[in-house]
Amino acid sequence: MIIYEPRNTLVVNTPKGKARIWLITEYGIETQKVFTCILDSGEIWEFTNSQITVESNPTISGFD
């Protein structure tokens, strides 16, 4: 198991609304990554990579 804390803020769309990724947990190749996210409401939830999408950011090139 590997737990990664991103240095840069990454805003994502979740089933519960917009959130920022706080931690990413990797359990191995047979399991999806788990993203611990802080919702705009302050709640903390965990989602798999199939449940979230990255919010568009025009300041990052290559994601047009």
Side-chain angles (χ1 to χ4, degrees):
M1 176 175 70
I2 297 171
I3 299 175
Y4 173 71
E5 183 177 1
R7 291 184 184 187
N8 298 323
T9 300
L10 186 58
V11 178
V12 292
N13 297 307
T14 73
K16 298 217 173 254
K18 287 189 181 180
R20 291 176 287 120
I21 292 179
W22 179 34
L23 299 171
I24 303 169
T25 306
E26 172 69 63
Y27 289 102
I29 59 172
E30 296 180 7
T31 306
Q32 292 188 36
K33 291 174 183 62
V34 175
F35 296 85
T36 304
C37 300
I38 302 172
L39 300 176
D40 286 348
S41 66
E43 296 178 64
I44 298 174
W45 284 85
E46 291 184 337
F47 303 98
T48 61
N49 52 320
S50 63
Q51 294 176 300
I52 62 173
T53 58
V54 176
E55 180 73 15
S56 176
N57 184 341
T59 62
I60 299 175
S61 62
F63 290 99
D64 300 350

